[in-house]
Amino acid sequence: MTIRMMQGMLVFAVVAVLAGCATTGGSARQGTSLGSIGGEVLTLEEFEDSFAKNNGGWEKSVTSSLEERERFLDLLVKFKLKVREAYSRGLLDDPAIQEELKGYNTSVATSYMLEKELVEPQIRGMYERRKAEVHASHILIRLQNEASPNDTLEAYEKAMKVISLVPTIGFDTLAVSYSEDQSVSFNKGDLGFFSAGQMVPPFEDAAFSMKEGEYTRFPARTNFGYHIIKVTGRQPYRGAVRVAHILKRFSQSGEDSLAVRDSIWAIYGKLKDGMDFAEASRLLNDDQRAGPLGGDLGTYDRQALPKDIGDQFYSMEVGDITEPNRQSYGYHIFKVMEFKGLGTFQELEKELRQQYQQMRYTDDYQQYLHGLKKKYEFSFDVPVLYQLTHMFDSTKTSSDSLWSEMVPPAMNPRTLFTYGGKTVTVGDFIVYITTSQEFKGTRLSVSQVEEMVQRMVEVNILQFHAEKVPERHQGFTKLMEEYRDGILLYRIEQDEVWKKLPENDSLMKVYYEETKENYRFPNRVKFLEIFTESDSLIKVAHMELQQGADFRLVAEKYTTRPGFKEKQGLWDFVPYDANLVARYAAILPPDSIPPPFDHPDGWSIIQVLAKDSARIKTFEEALPDLLGGYQEYASKRREAEWVDSLKTKYGVTLRKELLGEAFMRKRSAAN
């Protein structure tokens, strides 16, 4: 890839984010006029929404500087001018662009559909679920994922038996008797409070579907087995807790435990009488790190705390302190400083997305696909499917020549599956595998061919459903307009900037003269080296040099530094500080051959050939570094000339003084 191509790709990546700002082909939104571009009104509201979209959101945009707003307005104006010019030249009718848009329409529609119909509703549901936390106990009947039908039935029947006992026997008693969770020995099945994302999905779904006091009437199945769950409490989620403490430690022998107890209770009394906690911590805390900070221990999620401590903190209010709490090493007094709360959806969205992809997406995607199959009345022709999956040589792959000739011609028109009134044949399958890169080199075993067919079904169903995305989601039309304008922008940038960059030595030399201070050599040294890891071998080499042997030939004979035998030991002008050997060479006079010197890597003999003081590189020397900078310089000049001509052609008027009034409307009013 050439530098010009890479520069072009960067331009596309940068300006494409503005693609949603163009209103070519449609009317501007109503609002305060910030100016006009070729007679097309640019509203302050449109500028705000575009700025917020590309600069970290509305809250961040509110605090943006006037300089940042003016810089973005300049980008927005350039974008609109360039896209308008692309439309006026009829680039949208270019067959290559139409073909590219067609490909984007299918892939983008599928991605957009999955986002709007699957991912976004689920992560918003996860956020809503996080507003509460559930206190639950469970009884686990273990079962492997790959368990046989008989083992599965046995585990299920055992779970149902336990469920039948719940109304008459205490849940903790049943847990101790039946649960196969190792923690039951100390928690009697009590899992404490948890919020969304802290349990495996089937367990979480079951727990959050019940009210306090309810239990599962049928066991919940997870990777661990069958769970009987009872919800013993529900409360609003308070978020992570920030706590401070005062610690009084026992001595190593523990002989002072009574004295420490009296001391901590005396401190507790002072706190109850009104002594400031932070001041008491600075004066009396044995925790040398937290003491000067007012005892601040930081913030903890509930799940990170021991259950008894967590239960205590979350039963308190901000500002409450605990009675002295004994541990093996001393006593604590804790103070609850703050509950962090949940945070906004925008603050948690990235985390929710990551968690959803890791824990839920795969299963939800299969359920979504199953729903589409049902909606479009999907069905296989089972006999044809069986014949197809069993007719290949399993030692062959889909990359082998003539692999498809294993399918008799009479099979090609036979129906493989149907959906939504469409019929897919065996011949369609052959074409799909032949043209798809996904299964190149895949062996044609029964299971692999079945996988290929299932993947083809998936692709067909999704694309069929995606065809009607514009009817179901108005925002998709806007998104495709953004892609369209981004493609047009990239194309016209290529035509008017990158393909018109002047490439001749005279202009490059002008750029060199303007910027040559940026292209410098440091102090450098050129030298020959004979290197070995053996002191005896280096002595032999030095003796030959003393007897008049040519340094280069001796280096070629004895040096063991990788890559330097072929170069006869030559280091061709390296900075003085390049490495230890270069630093040593830098202090030697040219042509001298001092005795060998040892260093951490081995032994070296050096002969300095030349030194070059720090200086500006010549044009020829700077050329490899100059090219990238020159192309950027030339492209900016060309773009500026082009944009100036577009401003003259279309006319631009702006009221930049209104930028100071931006982002004063309420966020809820923003698109």
Side-chain angles (χ1 to χ4, degrees):
M1 180 179 289
T2 66
I3 290 178
R4 174 174 290 181
M5 289 173 65
M6 290 189 290
Q7 293 277 1
M9 293 297 287
L10 287 173
V11 168
F12 181 56
V14 171
V15 297
V17 298
L18 295 170
C21 310
T23 55
T24 306
S27 60
R29 296 204 335 268
Q30 297 299 312
T32 304
S33 173
L34 186 57
S36 66
I37 302 168
E40 178 186 306
V41 175
L42 171 64
T43 68
L44 181 62
E45 291 77 10
E46 182 182 353
F47 167 83
E48 289 172 334
D49 292 344
S50 183
F51 186 99
K53 178 180 178 180
N54 292 284
N55 290 278
W58 190 269
E59 287 82 358
K60 187 175 180 180
S61 300
V62 169
T63 61
S64 60
S65 66
L66 186 60
E67 181 183 2
E68 290 171 326
R69 297 175 187 183
E70 289 180 349
R71 189 161 54 243
F72 186 81
L73 178 61
D74 181 58
L75 286 173
L76 186 56
V77 169
K78 289 178 180 178
F79 170 81
K80 285 179 170 287
L81 285 169
K82 293 173 185 177
V83 171
R84 178 155 188 167
E85 179 68 3
Y87 277 102
S88 71
R89 292 189 189 182
L91 290 184
L92 187 59
D93 298 326
D94 187 311
I97 289 179
Q98 285 295 319
E99 187 63 27
E100 188 172 358
L101 280 170
K102 182 179 177 182
Y104 270 122
N105 191 75
T106 300
S107 59
V108 174
T110 302
S111 298
Y112 187 89
M113 171 182 77
L114 290 172
E115 168 65 20
K116 294 298 181 182
E117 298 176 6
L118 177 59
V119 177
E120 188 174 298
Q122 290 296 329
I123 62 172
R124 287 193 175 276
M126 289 170 65
Y127 177 75
E128 290 301 316
R129 186 174 280 182
R130 279 200 180 185
K131 292 180 179 179
E133 56 182 2
V134 169
H135 190 178
S137 295
H138 85 135
I139 298 166
L140 171 65
I141 309 300
R142 286 198 176 274
L143 184 66
Q144 298 295 325
N145 272 339
E146 302 80 14
S148 67
N150 287 338
D151 289 343
T152 302
L153 179 60
E154 182 181 345
Y156 180 81
E157 289 177 344
K158 182 177 180 181
M160 290 301 294
K161 174 186 175 183
V162 175
I163 289 173
S164 70
L165 299 174
V166 172
T168 57
I169 302 176
F171 200 89
D172 55 350
T173 301
L174 290 172
V176 171
S177 300
Y178 291 99
S179 184
E180 296 167 9
D181 184 344
Q182 294 178 350
S183 65
V184 74
S185 61
F186 58 84
N187 67 14
K188 297 183 179 180
D190 187 355
L191 299 174
F193 276 96
F194 55 88
S195 189
Q198 295 171 343
M199 297 292 180
V200 291
F203 189 102
E204 177 188 306
D205 293 343
F208 274 84
S209 69
M210 293 185 288
K211 298 177 181 178
E212 184 174 341
E214 292 183 343
Y215 61 92
T216 50
R217 295 307 197 264
F218 297 95
R221 176 72 187 269
T222 73
N223 291 337
F224 303 102
Y226 285 113
H227 302 260
I228 300 99
I229 306 168
K230 182 175 181 179
V231 171
T232 56
R234 295 180 73 101
Q235 64 185 26
Y237 179 67
R238 304 180 75 182
V241 61
R242 185 165 67 90
V243 294
H245 81 146
I246 296 172
L247 170 66
K248 299 305 291 184
R249 295 184 186 277
F250 298 140
S251 65
Q252 192 169 5
S253 66
E255 293 177 354
D256 59 349
S257 60
L258 292 178
V260 172
R261 183 195 65 182
D262 292 343
S263 175
I264 196 74
W265 277 97
I267 295 171
Y268 178 73
K270 292 178 181 180
L271 293 171
K272 297 300 285 186
D273 288 340
M275 184 177 187
D276 180 68
F277 192 94
E279 181 65 18
S281 174
R282 284 188 284 270
L283 295 174
L284 304 169
N285 203 332
D286 286 349
D287 183 340
Q288 298 302 310
R289 184 195 64 80
L293 303 175
D296 195 339
L297 290 171
T299 302
Y300 298 87
D301 289 322
R302 184 166 191 160
Q303 295 296 311
L305 296 167
K307 183 178 180 301
D308 57 337
I309 297 294
D311 288 347
Q312 185 174 25
F313 289 167
Y314 281 83
S315 67
M316 298 163 63
E317 299 299 326
V318 173
D320 287 353
I321 62 174
T322 66
E323 291 187 350
N325 184 302
R326 176 168 179 147
Q327 300 293 329
S328 60
Y329 48 83
Y331 284 91
H332 295 271
I333 299 172
F334 292 104
K335 180 179 180 179
V336 172
M337 306 293 289
E338 177 187 13
F339 289 102
K340 291 291 186 179
L342 180 59
T344 65
F345 176 79
Q346 288 74 20
E347 292 169 340
L348 295 177
E349 184 176 3
K350 182 178 179 180
E351 175 193 340
L352 290 168
R353 284 185 179 277
Q354 290 174 342
Q355 188 180 93
Y356 178 70
Q357 288 291 336
Q358 292 169 359
M359 299 183 67
R360 289 182 171 270
Y361 179 78
T362 300
D363 289 341
D364 286 357
Y365 174 78
Q366 291 302 322
Q367 291 179 14
Y368 177 80
L369 191 61
H370 178 74
L372 293 183
K373 289 179 180 179
K374 185 175 180 180
K375 175 183 177 71
Y376 295 119
E377 299 179 335
F378 166 83
S379 67
F380 271 123
D381 187 312
V382 177
V384 173
L385 175 63
Y386 181 85
Q387 283 182 268
L388 177 66
T389 56
H390 286 76
M391 65 176 42
F392 297 102
D393 181 348
S394 62
T395 65
K396 303 293 185 180
T397 76
S398 58
S399 296
D400 292 331
S401 61
L402 306 179
W403 72 272
S404 60
E405 292 191 5
M406 299 178 192
V407 180
M411 279 286 291
N412 286 329
R414 297 191 63 181
T415 298
L416 181 59
F417 59 87
T418 60
Y419 65 94
K422 292 182 175 289
T423 298
V424 177
T425 67
V426 171
D428 295 329
F429 171 78
I430 299 300
V431 172
Y432 173 74
I433 298 303
T434 302
T435 57
S436 172
Q437 295 297 315
E438 184 175 354
F439 293 104
K440 287 294 182 185
T442 301
R443 291 205 172 275
L444 299 172
S445 65
V446 172
S447 61
Q448 293 283 24
V449 175
E450 286 178 349
E451 184 178 335
M452 294 177 187
V453 173
Q454 291 295 346
R455 177 60 179 153
M456 184 185 184
V457 169
E458 178 181 333
V459 169
N460 276 257
I461 292 283
L462 288 174
Q463 289 183 354
F464 184 72
H465 190 55
E467 290 174 3
K468 294 182 172 54
V469 162
E471 300 174 15
R472 300 195 303 273
H473 303 286
Q474 293 182 349
F476 177 72
T477 301
K478 177 66 175 175
L479 180 64
M480 284 310 300
E481 288 174 358
E482 294 176 9
Y483 273 91
R484 177 198 64 201
D485 291 348
I487 291 170
L488 291 174
L489 181 65
Y490 176 69
R491 169 66 179 274
I492 201 165
E493 285 269 14
Q494 291 290 303
D495 292 347
E496 288 299 321
V497 177
W498 298 104
K499 290 182 180 179
K500 293 186 178 181
L501 290 185
E503 291 186 359
N504 57 69
D505 282 355
S506 60
L507 283 178
M508 198 172 292
K509 285 178 179 177
V510 171
Y511 173 70
Y512 166 75
E513 290 299 327
E514 293 179 4
T515 61
K516 62 184 179 181
E517 286 293 336
N518 298 328
Y519 304 99
R520 285 182 166 273
F521 281 127
N523 290 322
R524 298 180 301 153
V525 60
K526 180 178 181 180
F527 60 93
L528 299 171
E529 178 202 24
I530 302 168
F531 166 79
T532 78
E533 297 177 355
S534 165
D535 59 344
S536 59
L537 193 60
I538 204 72
K539 289 176 182 177
V540 172
H542 186 246
M543 185 179 298
E544 292 186 16
L545 292 172
Q546 288 179 315
Q547 293 171 354
D550 182 271
F551 197 104
R552 293 176 183 268
L553 296 178
V554 176
E556 185 177 11
K557 182 178 179 182
Y558 291 110
T559 194
T560 59
R561 189 179 294 282
F564 279 79
K565 184 177 289 291
E566 299 80 0
K567 297 192 297 182
Q568 296 183 316
L570 177 64
W571 291 74
D572 192 4
F573 282 118
V574 296
Y576 281 5
D577 60 356
N579 52 48
L580 187 147
V581 178
R583 287 196 292 271
Y584 179 73
I587 65 175
L588 297 177
D591 297 325
S592 64
I593 304 176
F597 81 99
D598 63 328
H599 50 84
D601 296 332
W603 296 81
S604 294
I605 303 172
I606 301 296
Q607 181 182 24
V608 174
L609 301 179
K611 293 183 179 180
D612 186 25
S613 299
R615 61 178 175 82
I616 294 173
K617 295 179 181 180
T618 66
F619 175 74
E620 289 74 18
E621 290 169 336
L623 197 56
D625 300 325
L626 199 66
L627 187 58
Y630 167 72
Q631 289 207 334
E632 182 179 359
Y633 161 82
S635 67
K636 287 181 178 178
R637 286 186 54 175
R638 170 58 196 151
E639 185 200 27
E641 293 169 358
W642 179 43
V643 169
D644 285 344
S645 71
L646 294 178
K647 287 180 179 178
T648 301
K649 179 177 181 178
Y650 292 110
V652 175
T653 58
L654 297 171
R655 300 167 64 195
K656 291 187 177 181
E657 67 276 7
L658 292 180
L659 293 177
E661 301 175 14
F663 306 108
M664 290 185 178
R665 61 188 170 121
K666 291 183 179 179
R667 181 184 175 196
S668 58
N671 289 340

